[in-house]
């Protein structure tokens, strides 16, 4: 595997379900990110981890819970979601958020549908 | 007012056309400007980046920044069907954390 991988690619869940999204980066980067991409809206930053420590949480509802067990893996745990949470969830990594441009390397995303 | 404004399109052009994609922004502290390209069913990937004002050219692509107007552009010359994608502008401030702020993307369709 190369780059940033995400599983599953598609997920349909009911509002009472609990599920997790998984992201893995094979680039040796130090930072990982979760973004939410909804139709006609800007890409929204949700969480940032740098060296496995959460450094930013953009007022995301508590029904989204991130976990970063090591610098290569990132999870997003989901519970009691709402239909408006349906979106494409993108994981990204970067070498170091303190470097200019801080190029983001994205995975293909998980298309989430909440019924 | 949103920090970064970008028309979602879609923008449909014939093959060979010159394409102009634009973003406006409100935060005058933005210094680093980037364009990402996102193909269908893929994540965005960095296409070009520029620092502060000026132009930067890379093959058929030219990125332009006008800080006085808070306006950035991406020009694509001799557009090809393979350029069909969503183009997202992104920008970040100088110092500290360079986490980019993204626009919502413009969908471009280049038809043969």
């Amino acid at each position: 595997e190369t780059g940033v991988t995400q599983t599953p690619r598609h997920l349909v869940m009911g509002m009472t379900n609990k599920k997790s999204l998984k992201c893995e980066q094979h680039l040796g980067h130090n930072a990982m990110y979760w973004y939410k991409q909804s139709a006609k809206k800007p890409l929204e930053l949700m969480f940032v981890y740098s060296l496995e420590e959460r450094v930013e949480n953009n007022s995301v509802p508590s029904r989204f819970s991130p976990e970063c067990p090591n610098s290569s893996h990132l999870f997003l745990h989901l519970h009691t979601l709402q239909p408006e949470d349906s979106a494409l969830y993108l994981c990204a990594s970067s070498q170091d958020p303190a470097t200019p441009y801080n190029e983001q390397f994205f995975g293909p995303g998980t298309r989430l549908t909440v019924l | 007012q949103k920090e970064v404004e970008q028309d979602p399109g879609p923008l449909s052009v014939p093959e060979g056309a010159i394409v102009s994609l634009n973003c406006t922004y409100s935060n005058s502290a933005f210094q680093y400007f980037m364009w990402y390209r996102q193909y269908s069913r893929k994540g965005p990937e960095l296409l070009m980046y520029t620092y502060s004002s000026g132009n930067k050219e890379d093959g058929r692509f030219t990125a332009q920044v006008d800080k006085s107007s808070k306006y950035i552009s991406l020009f694509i010359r001799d557009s090809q069907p393979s350029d069909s994608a969503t183009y997202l502008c992104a920008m970040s401030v100088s110092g500290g954390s360079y986490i980019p702020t993204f626009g919502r993307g413009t969908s471009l369709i280049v038809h043969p």
Side-chain angles (χ1 to χ4, degrees):
Chain A
E1 292 279 13
T2 59
V4 180
T5 56
Q6 290 186 243
T7 54
R9 294 293 308 275
H10 300 272
L11 179 62
V12 180
M13 58 188 288
M15 289 194 286
T16 57
N17 292 157
K18 285 186 181 181
K19 296 284 184 185
S20 295
L21 310 185
K22 179 184 174 184
C23 175
E24 186 173 358
Q25 60 100 356
H26 309 267
L27 300 167
H29 287 166
N30 292 321
M32 296 188 78
Y33 309 75
W34 281 116
Y35 288 89
K36 176 183 178 182
Q37 188 172 39
S38 307
K40 309 288 185 180
K41 284 187 171 182
L43 198 57
E44 296 174 54
L45 178 68
M46 300 176 72
F47 300 104
V48 182
Y49 279 83
S50 181
L51 297 173
E52 301 144 52
E53 188 177 321
R54 192 193 302 183
V55 296
E56 190 150 337
N57 170 0
N58 268 11
S59 303
V60 178
S62 60
R63 55 186 184 269
F64 295 92
S65 173
E67 179 191 358
C68 187
N70 56 60
S71 60
S72 299
H73 293 86
L74 185 64
F75 295 88
L76 188 63
H77 304 298
L78 316 171
H79 65 98
T80 59
L81 294 192
Q82 305 298 310
E84 60 265 28
D85 296 322
S86 299
L88 182 68
Y89 287 84
L90 290 162
C91 173
S93 69
S94 73
Q95 180 59 47
D96 181 353
T99 55
Y101 304 111
N102 184 23
E103 181 178 358
Q104 309 281 288
F105 290 78
F106 288 88
T110 295
R111 173 67 62 186
L112 173 67
T113 303
V114 181
L115 301 175
Chain B
Q1 182 186 13
K2 294 189 178 72
E3 268 202 299
V4 179
E5 298 268 14
Q6 189 176 9
D7 188 328
L11 178 62
S12 182
V13 301
E15 182 175 354
I18 296 174
V19 175
S20 173
L21 304 166
N22 312 294
C23 287
T24 59
Y25 62 94
S26 57
N27 186 352
S28 56
F30 285 136
Q31 294 271 30
Y32 296 90
F33 302 92
M34 294 143 280
W35 287 95
Y36 282 76
R37 178 175 60 194
Q38 183 176 19
Y39 289 115
S40 180
R41 287 184 284 280
K42 302 271 190 181
E45 56 181 357
L46 183 65
L47 181 63
M48 290 188 73
Y49 59 86
T50 55
Y51 172 70
S52 197
S53 284
N55 290 2
K56 183 174 181 180
E57 192 173 319
D58 183 1
R60 295 184 295 110
F61 298 88
T62 299
Q64 202 170 73
V65 176
D66 181 349
K67 288 198 73 183
S68 61
S69 302
K70 297 194 184 74
Y71 188 89
I72 69 170
S73 301
L74 178 71
F75 298 97
I76 308 174
R77 289 185 300 282
D78 187 25
S79 55
Q80 303 294 309
S82 57
D83 295 326
S84 298
T86 296
Y87 291 80
L88 298 96
C89 62
M91 43 200 82
S92 60
V93 300
S94 181
S97 173
Y98 292 87
I99 297 172
T101 299
F102 285 86
R104 54 183 171 172
T106 298
S107 174
L108 172 66
I109 301 166
V110 182
H111 50 87

